[in-house]
Amino acid sequence: MQLTTIRQRLRALGALPLHEQRVLRDWVQGRPYDQGRRRPNDFLPLGVRTALPALDAELQGMARLISSHPGQDGSARLLVGLADGQAVESVLLPRDGLCVSSQVGCAVGCQFCMTGREGLIRQVSSGEIIAQVVLARTQRVVKKVVFMGMGEPAHNLDNVLEAIDLLGTEGNIGHKNLVFSTVGDARVFERLAQGVVKPALALSLHTTKPALREQLLPRAPRITPEQLVEAGETYARLTGYPVQYQWTLLEGVNDGDDEIDGIVRLLKGKYAVLNMIPYNTIPDLAFKRPSWESARAIAASLHRRGVLTKLRDSAGQDVDGGCGQLRARAAAPAHRTIALKRAGPA
């Protein structure tokens, strides 16, 4: 369900813009309708009041908790079921953050990502994105939402921006606490700058070498690391928020001295922070996670050379819950059943 569809239904029931605002605000903030100065019976049109129970049931049915996997770091990976039987992942992060998914699967095909292995299955609607936030708020407080879960937000731009607009206007979330993460797409830099709600930006860099980036992100737009940083810097200066550059640290791939020199060349003096995340190991993939000591040494070297670097661990390391892994494990029994049936007698 799209947010525009919800608005249209409310208008057909006699709602004015302020009534739409009230219903959507109560939903995204997880508040009962009878809170606040204006009680529903005195404020909402009769048609809206009559339809609210059925509408609420639909809204609640867009996202349900299949399973929760708490981590020792205070995070919790959530496997979220959608109304059509598909599933996505959300992550409750320490310090009141939430990571949401914008697609079921992903078309970019990052070589080190489990989600990228299955390709794109479908887009997640703006309503389903908000539903992930609403579901998470039944578990704990959410004051920050990052679009870094399953999917490439740039490939689902209309739905993501519609959700960001509601979160930033009615969701009680500061604009800088809405983080749009992308591999880089010209449409992103144009559209984000035009919005009333301008989120912070996170750009997947991963390497300073154009050829290696094409190998690691085979279906990402052909934009060089230099072009990516240039576009990011323009947006950072426009919004006043530093760009977060994401770097998945892969042992023997992008952890050499040449890459460190390249990072300094690209990011020193920029309004930016580098988030360096040691690879979250995925079975059957050749990439390896470097030691924490090695990762710490790289981050310290970059600090000394003038690049603000934050060494982070991927939430869910201790529950084998890297992006896409929960969904893949949940789907595995069904895949095995299909395989067994095919192996049976003809």
Side-chain angles (χ1 to χ4, degrees):
M1 190 187 298
Q2 312 285 346
L3 293 177
T4 51
T5 304
I6 299 172
R7 293 182 188 275
Q8 289 167 359
R9 288 174 61 178
L10 289 170
R11 289 172 195 166
L13 293 166
L16 297 174
L18 72 165
H19 302 132
E20 291 175 33
Q21 182 183 39
R22 171 64 181 275
V23 172
L24 291 172
R25 182 194 306 140
D26 286 346
W27 175 45
V28 72
Q29 292 191 21
R31 301 189 316 182
Y33 290 118
D34 59 358
Q35 286 189 357
R37 291 184 298 107
R38 294 176 171 178
R39 301 299 168 125
N41 286 344
D42 302 324
F43 179 63
L44 296 177
L46 177 60
V48 174
R49 298 200 306 269
T50 303
L52 270 182
L55 179 61
D56 280 344
E58 283 190 66
L59 297 179
Q60 292 173 11
M62 280 197 288
R64 63 183 178 85
L65 182 63
I66 297 175
S67 60
S68 177
H69 305 261
Q72 295 178 356
D73 58 357
S75 68
R77 286 197 173 262
L78 310 179
L79 185 62
V80 178
L82 305 179
D84 66 348
Q86 293 291 349
V88 294
E89 297 175 18
S90 302
V91 186
L92 292 165
L93 303 169
R95 297 177 293 281
D96 302 331
L98 173 69
C99 178
V100 297
S101 292
S102 57
Q103 296 181 306
V104 182
C106 183
V108 176
C110 298
Q111 296 297 291
F112 47 83
C113 176
M114 177 66 80
T115 303
R117 300 181 72 182
E118 62 181 355
L120 177 63
I121 297 173
R122 75 165 174 86
Q123 306 289 9
V124 173
S125 74
S126 53
E128 289 171 326
I129 293 171
I130 298 297
Q132 292 175 65
V133 178
V134 174
L135 176 63
R137 281 178 159 168
T138 67
Q139 308 294 306
R140 64 172 74 163
V141 172
V142 173
K143 296 181 180 178
K144 179 176 183 177
V145 176
V146 297
F147 291 78
M148 296 182 183
M150 296 173 60
E152 165 51 56
H155 292 172
N156 191 17
L157 200 50
D158 289 342
N159 280 302
V160 171
L161 292 184
E162 191 174 34
I164 284 175
D165 182 74
L166 183 63
L167 291 170
T169 55
E170 307 299 340
N172 198 27
I173 298 176
H175 296 190
K176 69 178 180 180
N177 288 328
L178 294 164
V179 184
F180 187 106
S181 177
T182 177
V183 296
D185 188 304
R187 296 170 298 174
V188 168
F189 301 108
E190 178 182 354
R191 294 280 300 277
L192 293 191
Q194 295 172 353
V196 173
V197 178
K198 295 179 176 61
L201 186 62
L203 297 175
S204 296
L205 187 56
H206 303 306
T207 178
T208 63
K209 304 172 183 177
L212 178 58
R213 194 167 191 272
E214 290 184 12
Q215 292 177 26
L216 294 176
L217 287 65
R219 291 188 290 279
R222 289 298 178 252
I223 180 171
T224 67
E226 288 79 5
Q227 292 169 330
L228 189 66
V229 171
E230 181 181 353
E233 183 70 4
T234 299
Y235 185 76
R237 299 299 176 181
L238 170 70
T239 60
Y241 314 145
V243 170
Q244 302 174 38
Y245 290 95
Q246 308 296 100
W247 190 285
T248 299
L249 198 59
L250 307 165
E251 185 179 67
V253 177
N254 62 356
D255 59 348
D257 291 340
D258 54 346
E259 288 280 29
I260 295 175
D261 292 340
I263 291 171
V264 173
R265 175 177 51 81
L266 284 180
L267 298 186
K268 185 174 181 179
K270 297 295 192 298
Y271 195 27
V273 57
L274 180 67
N275 289 326
M276 187 162 278
I277 306 170
Y279 174 62
N280 196 349
T281 302
I282 296 175
D284 303 326
L285 292 188
F287 299 105
K288 295 182 179 179
R289 175 183 172 89
S291 69
W292 191 254
E293 292 73 20
S294 174
R296 187 185 292 116
I298 292 172
S301 173
L302 289 168
H303 262 298
R304 288 193 299 269
R305 298 178 64 180
V307 176
L308 177 59
T309 305
K310 295 184 178 180
L311 184 59
R312 301 184 182 276
D313 213 348
S314 175
Q317 280 282 337
D318 53 320
V319 296
D320 291 331
C323 191
Q325 288 181 262
L326 295 182
R327 175 185 157 79
R329 286 203 298 273
H335 293 164
R336 285 197 294 270
T337 299
I338 292 171
L340 287 172
K341 287 180 178 178
R342 288 175 177 169

